[in-house]
Amino acid sequence: MSNPDELLVAISAAVETERSNQMSLTVVVGGAVITGRLAPEAVWRERVAEVLRDSDRLGPFSDVFTGGPRGNRPGDGEAPTHLHFHLARILQGTLGIPETGGMYRVAIKDVSAWTVGDLSYSDR
């Protein structure tokens, strides 16, 4: 979307304001279907940093998520520009990748369709 959907921006702002990670959402971005729960950006960044810190090879990258210039973020008076998913999967056929869920950051302006709720596939 060239103009971000105002409802999606409002949902993201509410997640940021309420500091909640219980909002389930499914989006279509570049033809990919991503489903999971939204998290506030600060919580999402800290969780990604934790995962990186635990890695021998990727540990130095954790600082990118916790330190340095933070730019305009929700709370700075600016509307959110990204959705921060945790426990998220990219749906492909009958599979959700990764099976356990991952951490995804999606630009709101790139979302072409969305629905409230977490979709799951089953071959049963």
Side-chain angles (χ1 to χ4, degrees):
M1 294 181 173
S2 56
N3 293 322
D5 184 312
E6 63 188 48
L7 288 173
L8 201 49
V9 171
I11 290 169
S12 182
V15 168
E16 292 292 336
T17 302
E18 299 297 322
R19 310 292 297 163
S20 170
N21 63 357
Q22 298 304 305
M23 181 63 184
S24 295
L25 194 71
T26 300
V27 297
V28 178
V29 179
V33 177
I34 301 173
T35 189
R37 289 196 318 212
L38 296 179
E41 182 176 358
V43 172
W44 183 88
R45 283 176 169 266
E46 183 54 39
R47 180 65 186 123
V48 172
E50 287 172 11
V51 170
L52 293 174
R53 246 184 258 123
D54 290 343
S55 169
D56 292 334
R57 294 180 312 185
L58 302 176
F61 292 97
S62 68
D63 290 344
V64 171
F65 292 88
T66 59
R70 299 180 71 96
N72 289 335
R73 299 268 169 84
D76 294 341
E78 298 289 325
T81 58
H82 290 79
L83 302 170
H84 296 88
F85 284 92
H86 72 115
L87 302 175
R89 298 169 322 280
I90 297 174
L91 299 181
Q92 177 67 39
T94 60
L95 297 174
I97 306 166
E99 286 184 23
T100 57
M103 307 291 285
Y104 296 101
R105 176 177 160 111
V106 175
I108 294 172
K109 69 178 180 63
D110 294 337
V111 174
S112 59
W114 62 275
T115 188
V116 172
D118 185 355
L119 299 182
S120 62
Y121 277 29
S122 173
D123 57 354
R124 293 182 188 172

